[in-house]
Amino acid sequence: MSSGNKNKRWKFLSWLIALALITPVLVMLFSGIGSSTELFSHLWQTVLPTYISNTIQLAILVVTFSILFGVPAAAIISQTNVMGKKYLRWLLMLPLAMPAYLVAYLYTDLFDYAGPVQRFLRASFDWHSPLDYWFFDIRTLLGAAIMIALVLFPYVYMLVRTAFECQDQHLIRASRSLGYSLTQSFMKVSLPLARPAIAVSASLVLMETLADFATVQYFAVNTLTTAIYDTWLEYGDLSTANAIASILMLLILFTVIAEQRARAGQRHQSNRLNNQIKEKKLSVAQHFFAAGFCWLLVIAGFILPFLLLIMMALDYATLEQLNELLSSGFNSLQVAFYVASITTFIALLLSLFKRLHYSKWRDHPLQISGFGYAIPGTVLAMAMLATLGPIDHWLNGVAKLLDITAPGLILSGSIFAIILALVVRFAAIANGTITSGVEQIPASLDLAPASLGVTLNKSIPKVHLPLLKSSIFVAWLLVFVEAMKELPAVLLLRPFNFETLSTQIYQLISDERLEQGAIGALLIVLFGLIPVVYLNKKESSV
Amino acid sequence: MTVLLTLRQLSVALQQKPILSDVNLTLAEGDILGLVGPSGCGKTTLLNTIAGFVEQHKGSISIAPDMVIDANNLIAPEQRNIGMIFQDYALFPHLSVYKNIAFGLNHIDKAEQATRIDTLLSLLKLTDYSERYPHQLSGGQQQRVAIARALAPQPKLLLLDEPFSNIDARLRNELMLELRSLLKKLGITAIFVTHNKDEVFSFADKIAVMHQGRVLQSGTPIDVFHQPSSWLVADFLQIGSWLPVIEGNDECFTAIGNIVKDTIADQRKDNEQQYLLLKPQHIALMPEGEVNVNIEYVRITEHGFHYLLSSLTDDKRLSFEQLSFYSHHVFAQGEKIAIEILPHNYQLFSK
């Protein structure tokens, strides 16, 4: 647009918000990198190599397993006539709703020495002690990797399946007319063409893995996230925690760059779903194998843990627990409500700024505000502490000078820090949803009101907002759900005695008492289903 | 002349809807067949059925010497040894020009591969582009890569789906002649699909006109042009204009003169409104005659002035709106002139 709105306050506010969202992370990075070399060399000589190597090993394993689970599933669903395809198509997305730490806890319960599986085996084979038989140990790095991959592989499945389904079928036909069978053509043409999609989804999985805290903490695998948590909460060493967070942040940055490059490679992919895919007709044995593979993933990643949770809830739920959940649930709702409302408001302000304002850099505030999606909650928490702590300190100093009661940790020690951290983390979700809504509005509608003598100030509430109603709702809902589920940032930033649903569940899991929070855990899973249903609906309407 | 391809009573239905019905065709080795017809007539489906991408329900496809494909013996596309050039070329975006051409050659040894590819590269003037990727090429270059890729495995039959539709109109003729001489030089048997009648006449040795899943007529372009078998064929190929005719005892009447019945060479179907197929070269000016047509539209072409004429008659059964007529005389739009039908082998059709 050549002209556009020239409102200076709008411009100022947009830039202020964008900068406010990015400042804490910059502060943390500078203070982390600027921390004494002595501290780094000490860390390097003691724990850091283990943390880093564990983190990298975990990341590689999770990505590998996610690809091993997700790519074959995508191929089976998109390329074959596998039995139950209609259902498996969306069932395979459900594990996304399951937090990895819940799966980890439930499977540990199921498979460890005192669990039903080993008890049954011992009883059946007359074994008496661990010396009599070998059984895999789930509480290992490998175990953690499988648990995390079981709930993250749907990212790979979804993106790669879409890539397969959008491929130009003439390419497959060309390959066949050149002498390759359907299966050979898949290997020679479809799979190589899906490489960018595999890379993008792998980097999403990688980001989520680097951000994981609760699963590895539960399995006592020391990674960078658990290190941040331990050094801050157990030893109270803010500068060390900051330094570790900065290292993790750098790892994330590499991933983001890798993802951007992979996305650039997707230019061959069209976004048009192709309905003339020639399905491979499977033999009975192949049906059994392919459907079995998919069902195994659905059962292991969702159905089994979900059923275990339901059973737990039925067995142990009491009114008292419900009462306890109510107060933490209220806190969760409160946090999620603020976060969802603020991010949605910001997304609206910035997307419309990008669309309607005349200024040259009008798309930058939106971009800047969305950078936080890749940053792990633990890192964000450190960023909030690194930034808000000194501000609190300064405020208290000012109060002392003015001889009024010191406000205490009014920013860093309150729900404010949690909300700010979550707004930074989830702004990208709201931005994405609202921007795509804005893009659906024809550009002529920006100009039409002016031609009718209606100013922009009046046309935004009269034209744009009504058209964006459903986008606003979806953005709000998606952020709300994510904010309900978020754990590590809240865990690190919560004021004393402040519990949310997820921190309470996490506490119960650490104390091996999940039974008492089974209803809450179910609630988290059910909330998690909302965005999955939304994703499914969105893509089936393409 | 050996027959390479024979289609017998070929029928295809997709979701219970018949797409092709009872298609019979033969094609001699080395010939180029042009399949024409309006969009949706089933010509691309016919191509895809021959290639093996669409399954036939009835009838057979025989490819000399010994391949017979019918509903009980569907041979997979990759085993038919049929090359195909797609409308969008379908070049593999992740492979270089060289590797695209080498794609179908994995069964022969590297040395032979290299010679074959080099020959094709130079034949199609692609030698300088062999390391480029498809998106770095122009449309014409992409088409040449698609041709080289399809020819590399030396297929028995080459299928081309609207090969010129993505090419700039000005380049189209040149490319068409180029491709035709290449196919002739290599002695390749080919079928190509188009909805453009000019392409068939300049590219094909034999044409087949399709309509609603059936082949209405096939033969050499000249035969079809001179003896269209039905109103639909003549109309689709725009062979001439239609002049309504009323039959009398010895003569037939039209709005611009009568024709003697005995001289009618061809007459299809009785008891329906008949139309005379009138080609522009069979119309002449009659300077002394009584005016009988009005000039509706004037266009300048390389063959002189092209006029569309409407009749002046009051008889509704004989009146017409668009009669094509070429002349070097200059007339103005709205001018009224006199024309007559030159004697020739008259052909009457009913719709």
Side-chain angles (χ1 to χ4, degrees), chain A residues 48-60:
Chain A
L48 207 50
T50 325
Y51 292 164
I52 292 181
S53 103
N54 276 347
T55 304
I56 291 176
Q57 277 184 55
L58 182 78
I60 291 173

Side-chain angles (χ1 to χ4, degrees), chain A residues 318-332 499-501 504-505 508 516-521 523:
Chain A
T318 59
L319 265 181
E320 269 166 69
Q321 277 175 40
L322 217 56
N323 250 336
E324 229 171 275
L325 283 175
L326 230 50
S327 74
S328 62
F330 177 74
N331 285 340
S332 285
E499 294 276 5
T500 66
L501 209 50
Q504 198 191 0
I505 306 277
L508 291 171
Q516 299 178 16
I519 299 179
L523 222 58

Side-chain angles (χ1 to χ4, degrees), chain B residues 253-324:
Chain B
F253 311 106
T254 79
I256 54 171
N258 304 340
I259 52 178
V260 181
K261 256 189 168 178
D262 293 346
T263 55
I264 294 174
D266 239 330
Q267 185 168 11
R268 326 265 165 188
K269 287 189 195 166
D270 290 323
N271 305 324
E272 273 180 54
Q273 172 66 54
Q274 302 266 319
Y275 294 88
L276 173 67
L277 175 62
L278 193 53
K279 296 173 186 169
Q281 68 262 34
H282 294 134
I283 303 171
L285 273 175
M286 203 167 44
E288 309 294 305
E290 188 185 336
V291 293
N292 51 11
V293 288
N294 180 40
I295 295 184
E296 292 288 331
Y297 177 77
V298 187
R299 194 163 67 102
I300 302 169
T301 73
E302 51 190 319
H303 319 293
F305 297 99
H306 178 213
Y307 299 102
L308 285 183
L309 314 173
S310 66
S311 57
L312 294 175
T313 176
D314 294 330
D315 190 338
K316 282 224 169 100
R317 295 171 300 165
L318 292 180
S319 71
F320 54 84
E321 303 290 331
Q322 294 198 331
L323 182 66
S324 233

Side-chain angles (χ1 to χ4, degrees), chain B residues 57-245:
Chain B
H57 291 101
K58 270 187 239 145
S60 67
I61 302 170
S62 314
I63 302 170
D66 50 12
M67 188 183 286
V68 179
I69 303 155
D70 57 35
N72 301 319
N73 180 33
L74 288 168
I75 294 171
E78 58 269 22
Q79 285 155 8
R80 294 190 184 194
N81 197 12
I82 294 176
M84 182 135 180
I85 293 169
F86 296 85
Q87 191 174 0
D88 55 4
Y89 314 133
L91 298 178
F92 302 121
H94 61 302
L95 299 179
S96 66
V97 167
Y98 190 93
K99 287 191 171 155
N100 259 287
I101 301 174
F103 195 86
L105 295 177
N106 65 326
H107 56 283
I108 60 177
D109 68 80
K110 286 272 171 210
E112 160 124 41
Q113 267 190 34
T115 33
R116 250 200 235 182
I117 296 168
D118 287 339
T119 316
L120 283 167
L121 283 172
S122 66
L123 199 60
L124 287 152
K125 300 181 209 123
L126 286 167
T127 312
D128 295 340
Y129 305 100
S130 66
E131 292 312 312
R132 297 232 187 140
Y133 283 84
H135 66 270
Q136 299 168 312
L137 302 176
S138 71
Q141 289 164 343
Q142 288 183 16
Q143 192 198 35
R144 295 211 296 274
V145 177
I147 294 166
R149 184 180 69 179
L151 292 180
Q154 300 178 339
K156 275 192 193 145
L157 177 64
L158 185 65
L159 306 177
L160 305 97
D161 187 5
E162 307 244 1
F164 307 110
S165 65
N166 286 335
I167 306 259
D168 197 299
R170 278 176 48 205
L171 274 174
R172 199 177 292 165
N173 247 320
E174 195 182 320
L175 269 174
M176 227 159 15
L177 295 176
E178 223 173 77
L179 181 56
R180 183 177 158 86
S181 67
L182 177 72
L183 294 182
K184 286 291 158 193
K185 189 154 82 185
L186 300 173
I188 294 202
T189 320
I191 302 179
F192 83 105
V193 152
T194 178
H195 59 265
N196 181 336
K197 65 169 179 100
D198 298 330
E199 282 179 15
V200 218
F201 286 126
S202 50
F203 196 77
D205 301 310
K206 193 177 169 187
I207 79 170
V209 184
M210 290 187 67
H211 182 76
Q212 293 183 343
R214 295 176 182 277
V215 172
L216 297 178
Q217 188 177 10
S218 65
T220 65
I222 294 177
D223 286 347
V224 175
F225 187 76
H226 283 302
Q227 297 277 308
S229 66
S230 66
W231 190 88
L232 278 169
V233 172
D235 196 57
F236 179 76
L237 296 176
Q238 291 176 307
I239 290 170
S241 312
W242 298 109
L243 208 55
V245 163

Side-chain angles (χ1 to χ4, degrees), chain A residues 496-535:
Chain A
F496 186 65
N497 260 345
F498 182 86
E499 294 276 5
T500 66
L501 209 50
S502 43
T503 61
Q504 198 191 0
I505 306 277
Y506 169 74
Q507 213 58 61
L508 291 171
I509 282 181
S510 327
D511 302 346
E512 304 277 348
R513 293 187 297 135
L514 181 64
E515 300 81 33
Q516 299 178 16
I519 299 179
L522 268 179
L523 222 58
I524 288 187
V525 175
L526 290 176
F527 268 115
L529 281 175
I530 294 173
V532 176
V533 169
Y534 167 72
L535 271 176

Side-chain angles (χ1 to χ4, degrees), chain A residues 168-182 184-185 188-190 192-193 195 267-268 278 281, chain B residues 48 53-55 76-78 82-84 86-88 90-94 100 103-104 106 135 149-150 153:
Chain A
D168 179 4
Q169 287 308 297
H170 280 171
L171 292 175
I172 308 300
R173 289 184 169 184
S175 162
R176 297 197 72 192
S177 76
L178 292 166
Y180 292 87
S181 70
L182 205 54
Q184 287 168 327
S185 303
K188 288 270 288 191
V189 180
S190 302
L193 285 177
R195 264 189 318 226
R267 61 172 182 268
H268 300 314
K278 176 111 182 147
K281 295 205 171 68
Chain B
N48 284 329
F53 302 129
V54 172
E55 291 177 7
E78 58 269 22
I82 294 176
M84 182 135 180
F86 296 85
Q87 191 174 0
D88 55 4
L91 298 178
F92 302 121
H94 61 302
N100 259 287
F103 195 86
N106 65 326
H135 66 270
R149 184 180 69 179

Side-chain angles (χ1 to χ4, degrees), chain A residues 126-190:
Chain A
D126 200 25
W127 294 325
H128 296 287
S129 77
L131 297 173
D132 294 337
Y133 63 101
W134 176 88
F135 199 82
F136 63 85
D137 184 7
I138 198 171
R139 296 184 80 143
T140 56
L141 187 81
L142 183 69
I146 294 176
M147 294 304 119
I148 299 174
L150 270 180
V151 298
L152 291 184
F153 84 87
Y155 281 119
V156 180
Y157 160 73
M158 253 163 33
L159 288 173
V160 175
R161 192 197 66 203
T162 310
F164 283 149
E165 286 175 346
C166 291
Q167 276 170 3
D168 179 4
Q169 287 308 297
H170 280 171
L171 292 175
I172 308 300
R173 289 184 169 184
S175 162
R176 297 197 72 192
S177 76
L178 292 166
Y180 292 87
S181 70
L182 205 54
T183 314
Q184 287 168 327
S185 303
F186 174 77
M187 300 304 285
K188 288 270 288 191
V189 180
S190 302

